[in-house]
Amino acid sequence: MHTQRAGNALAAFSFVLWGILPLYYQFLPRADINDLLALRIVFSIPFMLLVMLLLRRPFPKASQIWQDKRSLMMAGMAGLIMCVSWYAFTWAITHDQVLEASLGFFINPLFAIALGVFFLKEKLSKAQSAAVILGIVGIGYQVWHYEELPWISLIMGSFFAIYGLCKKHIRYDALTSVTLEAVILAPFALAYLAITYVNQTSTALSVDISTLMLYIGSAPVTLAPLIFFALAISRTSLTMVGLMQYIEPTLQFLLAVFLFGEVFDQVKAVSFGFIWLGLLLCSLEALSSLAMRRLRTS
């Protein structure tokens, strides 16, 4: 019981950290996203190695990693996919589009459900089916009124769901997997930084030291919640983690509307409302299933 409570607390804390990330990026308005992504990849490696050292999780030997070539390939693919989702997220929160980022994470579970049906042959419950339909209606309503797709939200939500699907096929532990994702992409990130530095087109490498440190700091601030999330997974149920994941986009939504002053008009209210209703149905179903399991075991 104490282990599960600790797991719940770790999971909640990880989602709170993710939720308040826009506060950090307010110090990097209109940041060069390419430089930001490259520096994040490079400095993720020493940060992750330090975390593994502190947690006494030895990094596997190269021979052990090479034995599972499928997981190694999937880790590289997962890293690339995460780059797309992270790129869209970072662009949104550095260009006054935090509401778009929030919407992306709210619709992510709907993409995850769809991927589960198509690739893992999972069957939809009534609540999940209703959530998918309501999500489509919500996005459709926004498209109808604005006459354009919410591309940032859709890219974030879909690619993060695909990232989760890739992770299901990786047999390394969570910390090793995240570290490998950065290691595989690091040569490309270093090559990009070297080329832009030589050509004097790099923004991050030509700014003052304090701004450069903010660019580099994007690695630990984005990886810290991932560490707490990885520690939580082994201590609590996936149902609880699934329910608590809405902490993140909710905090981002509140920051966007009440702190950053982004416009939350009638169209967005209706669109979000349909999506929230679908997520509420899924949450109530998950809570009901959890209560039933506890009754059976008590």
Side-chain angles (χ1 to χ4, degrees):
M1 183 61 72
H2 291 298
T3 301
Q4 187 170 1
R5 284 178 183 170
N8 291 343
L10 286 167
F13 186 58
S14 71
F15 288 122
V16 168
L17 289 179
W18 265 316
I20 61 175
L21 263 180
L23 293 174
Y24 180 85
Y25 286 100
Q26 292 305 301
F27 295 104
L28 286 169
R30 311 290 168 180
D32 186 313
I33 309 300
N34 295 318
D35 285 357
L36 200 55
L37 177 60
L39 287 167
R40 178 189 181 273
I41 290 169
V42 171
F43 283 93
S44 290
I45 299 170
F47 178 75
M48 288 302 300
L49 291 175
L50 176 62
V51 168
M52 294 176 82
L53 180 67
L54 292 173
L55 294 176
R56 297 179 182 177
R57 304 268 187 91
F59 194 74
K61 294 179 180 178
S63 58
Q64 292 175 303
I65 292 170
W66 192 247
Q67 281 175 357
D68 193 348
K69 294 183 182 64
R70 186 168 183 266
S71 290
L72 184 61
M73 183 184 71
M74 293 305 294
M77 191 178 297
L80 280 172
I81 290 165
M82 174 52 85
C83 281
V84 177
S85 180
W86 190 85
Y87 192 99
F89 170 69
T90 311
W91 186 91
I93 61 178
T94 55
H95 289 75
D96 304 320
Q97 298 290 323
V98 179
L99 266 179
E100 290 290 308
S102 171
L103 179 61
F105 284 117
F106 273 125
I107 62 178
N108 165 252
L110 306 180
F111 279 110
I113 290 169
L115 289 176
V117 171
F118 288 114
F119 292 100
L120 304 178
K121 307 303 179 187
E122 296 175 356
K123 292 187 177 180
L124 291 182
S125 65
K126 289 181 180 179
Q128 288 172 331
S129 298
V132 171
I133 293 168
L134 287 167
I136 293 170
V137 171
I139 297 296
Y141 184 82
Q142 201 171 132
V143 172
W144 180 48
H145 276 272
Y146 293 151
E147 297 183 347
E148 62 179 10
L149 284 166
W151 285 112
I152 295 296
S153 305
L154 292 173
I155 290 170
M156 279 179 55
S158 60
F159 275 83
F160 195 71
I162 297 169
Y163 175 75
L165 181 65
C166 286
K167 298 291 272 186
K168 283 185 173 290
H169 299 283
I170 298 173
R171 286 186 285 268
Y172 307 129
D173 67 85
L175 296 180
T176 299
S177 175
V178 171
T179 308
L180 277 175
E181 289 166 25
V183 169
I184 293 167
L185 295 174
F188 303 100
L190 285 168
Y192 170 81
L193 290 170
I195 291 168
T196 55
Y197 179 74
V198 170
N199 294 334
Q200 297 184 338
T201 55
S202 172
T203 300
L205 300 180
S206 61
V207 294
D208 59 275
I209 189 66
S210 59
T211 306
L212 176 60
M213 293 308 295
L214 284 169
Y215 271 85
I216 293 171
S218 65
V221 299
T222 53
L223 288 171
L226 193 61
I227 305 302
F228 286 107
F229 179 77
L231 294 172
I233 284 292
S234 60
R235 292 172 170 83
T236 189
S237 67
L238 285 175
T239 302
M240 287 304 297
V241 170
L243 291 171
M244 283 190 286
Q245 73 176 348
Y246 303 124
I247 293 172
E248 176 189 356
T250 300
L251 285 174
Q252 290 170 1
F253 172 83
L254 293 173
L255 286 173
V257 175
F258 296 107
L259 186 61
F260 304 143
E262 292 187 24
V263 177
F264 186 63
D265 56 19
Q266 179 264 340
V267 174
K268 285 194 174 97
V270 173
S271 179
F272 271 78
F274 278 115
I275 293 164
W276 286 336
L277 179 57
L279 297 177
L280 177 62
L281 292 174
C282 286
S283 299
L284 290 174
E285 182 183 63
L287 284 171
S288 177
S289 299
L290 189 63
M292 290 295 290
R293 280 200 297 271
R294 284 180 176 175
L295 280 173
R296 291 194 201 102
T297 56
S298 61

